[in-house]
Amino acid sequence: MMRNYHIQNLQDYFKEYKKSIKNPKKFWDKIADENFVWYQRWSKVVDYNMEEANIKWFKNAKLNITKNSLDRHLSVRGDKTAIIWEPNDPKEEAQHISFNELYERVNKTANVLREMGVEKGDRVCIYLPMIPELAVTMLACAKLGAVHSVIFAGFSAAAVASRVNDCGAKMVITSDGSYRGNKVLDLKSIVDEALEKCETVEHVLVVKRTNNDVKMKEGRDYWMSEYYDKASTDFVTVIMDAEDPLFILYTSGSTGKPKGMLHTCAGYMVYTAYTFKNVFNYKENDIYWCTADIGWITGHSYILYGPLLNGATTVIFEGVPTYPDAGRFWEVIEKHKVTQFYTAPTAIRSLAKESVEWVQKHNLESLKVIGSVGEPINDEAWHWYNDNVGNKKCPIVDTWWQTETGGILISPIPFVTPTKPTYATLPLPGVQPVLMDDKRNEISGNQVTGNLCIRFPWPGIARTIWGDHQRYKETYFSAFPGKYFTGDGALRDEVGYYRITGRVDDVIIVSGHNLGTAPIEDSINEHPAVAESAIVGYPHDVKGNALYGFVILKESGEERNRENLAKEINQLISEQIGPIAKLDKIQFVSGLPKTRSGKIMRRILRKIAEGDFTNFGDTSTLLNPEVVDEIKNERI
Ligand code: WT7
């Protein structure tokens, strides 16, 4: 649907880029004007104050993102497939859902939500597996003006409860269960456990998927199908203001509880549509597949909204890369003739460990562009992906972005930007990256490294942390006043290409999942035998990083069997956060290296975890240097 905005060649890119920097208002005004339907135009393209972290795009415009994702396609591509749903079990039939059908399903679901008392502005938490209802309920919320907050269906009851409570959700939508490879997970009982600690939820809607025997709480829980089957297919779209909330999505911070990043209607729509079209070289008959879970921002922006806004066919895959075998991804590409494939380095690395015959067995000729997201892609994985999946003819788009950015900020544009292994390359039009040194000076020139900041807002940036604007301002706009600080370090090479070197804060990316050290340490410390703990990441050849925990026991815990303790600690983490946050290694120590001001010197722990005992840097401020030798000698 985006009409005029395929960047054609490098010259064209530089021209567009310059225009977007010189006059961002004009640049985005034109894109917004020519590519979307609006109930009312904006009075101002952008209004921003980077010191106060107040950002507004398309001020006073009226719209609904579902009009643009669904309704406007019906007359031109109503029978075209919007969603191809590929189930966990390849023997179960895939579903092809047309735009007409999706529109109807969304209307019916919006009617069900309304019947259950959900109104504009209410928060709805969605805890569902990768089934069509996940996409449908999100769109139904958007159509009705309710704010969806999707919770990844691998999170624990405690994690669900904290998110539900933080956003004050009125409703939770879940299913009787979830299929993941050869496992069946009981989502409903996790919700039941979570809701024991939640006061705001009035109703739980349950979608049938696995036919697990679930308990339904009278007056609170309802089967979706009972209401859905009777619901009308007509629903009058709710008119939204540009800056009305569209969704909340939680992401880990280096400290404290997860941050509810709030994205709003107009800017997010314009930005995801524009970036989808250009980064994936999207054309009308393409079949696009992103393997992420919709529970992460990648799924929100580039499984659901970005593709549907462009009238694209998007694949939703319920399963895992290794079920029933390590050829599943390649089988699905062949089966549905996928043209764009977007996945994470951790998936690439794990599949690269398997015999390359799994790939070669399948015909991947349909592929045109392949992408990577979530963490730096290492050289080896890049080449394996390029050689075996892209067959050296599909450009790799190494897309750098964040939950907070709403959409991709730095990425090659396929067939335009020459790629370079491990480099995200150049900023997209409208994006102004800068590198800053620790003294808050901008580092100019090339062949330099620094803290990656963005100096001007783009339409997709999150507007606040739900309920805590002060924290938003402090986290992103205070380290380098006047600029958005990403938390990442980056290098700029001799031609101005960016390579993301990784987090510079206490966030660790494990298998592409963003994990804060503090919440994990908090849950370890709840173990009655534990006095204190510190978590660091260390390189892992499949996960990118794995977690290494250093744990000090209380006197009462000293007598306990260490192996059992380690198991209990991981069990605790699983319950409180989710299995993704489990530690690969746990070392029991008598103390942690601390500065005189009491701050743990994680730098040293990181070195030890990596097995590098050579260069601990300046340790003069260390209060207890003797503990470093002990930790070193007993490293696992
Ligand atoms: C962090 C954001 C963006 C969707 C998935 C993750 C890291 C992301 C890349 C990349 C190097 C990357 C950064 C970023 N990251 N993409 N292409 N190269 N690093 O979203 O969970 O909010 O995590 O992921 O460190 O800050 P997220």
Side-chain angles (χ1 to χ4, degrees):
M1 207 63 189
M2 301 282 299
R3 279 184 290 164
N4 302 323
Y5 296 96
H6 254 148
I7 292 164
Q8 300 293 336
N9 51 47
L10 208 52
Q11 234 174 340
D12 192 23
Y13 162 79
F14 283 118
K15 210 177 79 198
E16 283 291 296
Y17 187 75
K18 276 205 192 98
K19 266 200 315 204
S20 77
I21 302 310
K22 233 173 122 188
N23 195 340
K25 291 183 186 168
K26 195 168 157 201
F27 178 80
W28 291 111
D29 183 83
K30 188 165 152 57
I31 291 175
D33 185 46
E34 291 181 356
N35 293 287
F36 304 92
V37 291
W38 303 89
Y39 295 111
Q40 180 183 300
R41 261 188 75 95
W42 44 98
S43 56
K44 204 169 174 194
V45 179
V46 58
D47 211 355
Y48 66 97
N49 176 337
M50 297 285 266
E51 270 73 29
E52 288 306 311
N54 288 327
I55 298 163
K56 290 188 168 73
W57 280 90
F58 310 110
K59 224 175 154 180
N60 297 319
K62 304 283 180 227
L63 75 152
N64 191 298
I65 197 168
T66 64
K67 272 261 170 230
N68 288 280
S69 311
L70 298 171
D71 305 35
R72 64 163 163 167
H73 300 311
L74 303 184
S75 62
V76 278
R77 50 177 79 79
D79 291 329
K80 178 180 170 177
T81 300
I83 292 174
I84 297 178
W85 178 66
E86 173 68 24
N88 177 59
D89 183 348
K91 289 195 229 75
E92 190 179 341
E93 209 176 323
Q95 282 182 27
H96 289 73
I97 304 168
S98 68
F99 278 95
N100 282 330
E101 192 189 339
L102 185 59
Y103 169 81
E104 238 185 67
R105 286 209 201 183
V106 169
N107 281 359
K108 291 183 80 161
T109 306
N111 278 317
V112 175
L113 299 194
R114 182 167 281 165
E115 205 181 325
M116 295 274 158
V118 177
E119 285 164 36
K120 179 176 175 178
D122 287 343
R123 275 79 60 208
V124 173
C125 283
I126 306 179
Y127 186 66
L128 282 174
M130 288 282 282
I131 54 178
E133 286 81 355
L134 174 51
V136 171
T137 50
M138 289 166 80
L139 292 165
C141 286
K143 183 145 199 168
L144 184 145
V147 184
H148 59 70
S149 185
V150 180
I151 304 172
F152 170 60
F155 274 128
S156 66
V160 173
S162 86
R163 285 158 175 76
V164 167
N165 285 332
D166 186 80
C167 71
K170 195 172 192 179
M171 169 181 272
V172 174
I173 303 176
T174 189
S175 68
D176 55 351
S178 150
Y179 294 122
R180 301 276 297 163
N182 48 25
K183 281 189 271 193
V184 186
L185 308 177
D186 185 357
L187 297 187
K188 174 67 167 60
S189 72
I190 295 174
V191 168
D192 289 341
E193 190 188 332
L195 293 192
E196 281 168 24
K197 299 192 192 78
C198 303
E199 311 250 288
T200 56
V201 174
E202 291 171 10
H203 298 303
V204 176
L205 270 175
V206 188
V207 175
K208 263 212 170 86
R209 171 64 185 129
T210 56
N211 288 316
N212 276 10
D213 191 16
V214 300
K215 280 197 216 83
M216 299 292 277
K217 186 167 167 182
E218 182 131 10
R220 187 193 71 180
D221 303 350
Y222 300 91
W223 290 105
M224 174 74 94
S225 58
E226 277 173 31
Y227 290 80
Y228 178 88
D229 293 345
K230 287 179 282 186
S232 156
T233 54
D234 293 326
F235 187 91
V236 180
T237 307
V238 173
I239 297 176
M240 305 295 284
D241 184 83
E243 289 297 339
D244 276 340
L246 174 63
F247 67 85
I248 299 167
L249 187 61
Y250 287 85
T251 187
S252 316
S254 43
T255 52
K257 57 179 189 179
K259 298 170 287 193
M261 304 314 306
L262 180 77
H263 285 281
T264 57
C265 294
Y268 178 82
M269 171 180 82
V270 170
Y271 197 70
T272 52
Y274 173 79
T275 50
F276 174 77
K277 168 102 174 177
N278 278 291
V279 172
F280 297 102
N281 189 255
Y282 171 69
K283 305 256 170 74
E284 181 71 40
N285 295 318
D286 288 345
I287 309 283
Y288 165 89
W289 181 22
C290 166
T291 69
D293 194 286
I294 293 185
W296 311 115
I297 191 73
T298 310
H300 281 57
S301 302
Y302 300 111
I303 295 178
L304 194 68
Y305 288 115
L308 294 184
L309 285 163
N310 281 280
T313 301
T314 180
V315 176
I316 296 184
F317 174 48
E318 186 187 32
V320 297
T322 48
Y323 179 82
D325 57 49
R328 188 68 192 277
F329 272 3
W330 326 123
E331 181 194 318
V332 173
I333 292 174
E334 178 174 14
K335 175 174 172 190
H336 296 299
K337 302 197 170 50
V338 170
T339 45
Q340 289 96 342
F341 177 69
Y342 190 29
T343 195
T346 183
I348 298 168
R349 286 190 298 265
S350 75
L351 294 171
K353 289 203 141 188
E354 307 284 341
S355 158
V356 73
E357 277 168 30
W358 286 116
V359 193
Q360 288 162 350
K361 240 170 52 180
H362 296 282
N363 180 350
L364 307 185
E365 278 298 304
S366 57
L367 286 175
K368 149 172 111 166
V369 175
I370 57 178
S372 169
V373 62
E375 59 183 312
I377 178 166
N378 51 306
D379 199 65
E380 202 186 337
W382 195 97
H383 283 288
W384 185 89
Y385 198 31
N386 188 45
D387 295 351
N388 299 298
V389 180
N391 207 4
K392 296 199 175 92
K393 62 181 179 39
C394 303
I396 295 180
V397 288
D398 177 358
T399 62
W400 173 82
W401 58 297
Q402 310 177 296
T403 305
E404 295 85 339
T405 70
I408 298 164
L409 296 194
I410 303 182
S411 167
I413 293 173
F415 313 107
V416 171
T417 319
T419 58
K420 175 175 177 183
T422 76
Y423 281 75
T425 77
L426 296 171
L428 297 181
V431 176
Q432 305 190 32
V434 279
L435 297 180
M436 305 294 290
D437 69 19
D438 291 337
K439 298 198 179 77
R440 299 179 165 178
N441 298 313
E442 187 172 332
I443 308 169
S444 58
N446 290 342
Q447 288 190 295
V448 290
T449 57
N451 299 298
L452 179 61
C453 292
I454 315 287
R455 102 169 103 216
F456 192 87
W458 61 98
I461 187 174
R463 301 300 194 261
T464 194
I465 293 175
W466 180 261
D468 198 348
H469 194 70
Q470 189 57 25
R471 187 176 178 202
Y472 176 70
K473 191 173 133 183
E474 275 163 19
T475 310
Y476 303 105
F477 297 88
S478 68
F480 302 95
K483 297 183 178 65
Y484 168 80
F485 175 43
T486 65
D488 282 325
L491 172 161
R492 189 164 52 220
D493 79 356
E494 60 289 352
V495 300
Y497 273 17
Y498 287 89
R499 175 188 187 169
I500 312 303
T501 47
R503 303 291 307 186
V504 295
D505 56 13
D506 290 331
V507 171
I508 306 171
I509 303 194
V510 179
S511 298
H513 301 310
N514 206 328
L515 299 172
T517 49
I520 303 177
E521 289 163 4
D522 289 347
S523 47
I524 299 174
N525 297 348
E526 279 185 28
H527 191 289
V530 171
E532 202 187 347
S533 62
I535 303 293
V536 296
Y538 68 96
H540 184 282
D541 58 353
V542 172
K543 302 182 190 180
N545 295 294
L547 299 177
Y548 195 124
F550 299 90
V551 176
I552 308 177
L553 292 175
K554 288 182 188 156
E555 235 182 274
S556 60
E558 288 291 347
E559 301 302 308
R560 300 271 323 268
N561 175 302
R562 302 290 156 103
E563 223 171 279
N564 290 344
L565 274 178
K567 274 194 200 129
E568 288 169 22
I569 287 171
N570 267 332
Q571 180 62 28
L572 203 57
I573 296 173
S574 283
E575 282 163 14
Q576 302 213 341
I577 300 165
I580 48 175
K582 283 206 275 196
L583 311 181
D584 274 42
K585 294 183 181 177
I586 299 180
Q587 180 178 347
F588 295 97
V589 296
S590 69
L592 292 165
K594 286 194 181 164
T595 63
R596 283 164 215 285
S597 59
K599 204 168 183 276
I600 297 170
M601 254 199 210
R602 286 173 197 278
R603 176 164 48 84
I604 294 179
L605 295 177
R606 250 178 246 133
K607 285 268 179 190
I608 295 176
E610 282 165 21
D612 173 3
F613 300 160
T614 49
N615 188 6
F616 288 149
D618 178 16
T619 51
S620 59
T621 58
L622 213 52
L623 191 66
N624 49 350
E626 70 290 345
V627 80
V628 176
D629 282 327
E630 175 211 302
I631 298 180
K632 227 164 61 182
N633 295 335
E634 291 174 16
R635 173 179 177 269
I636 302 170

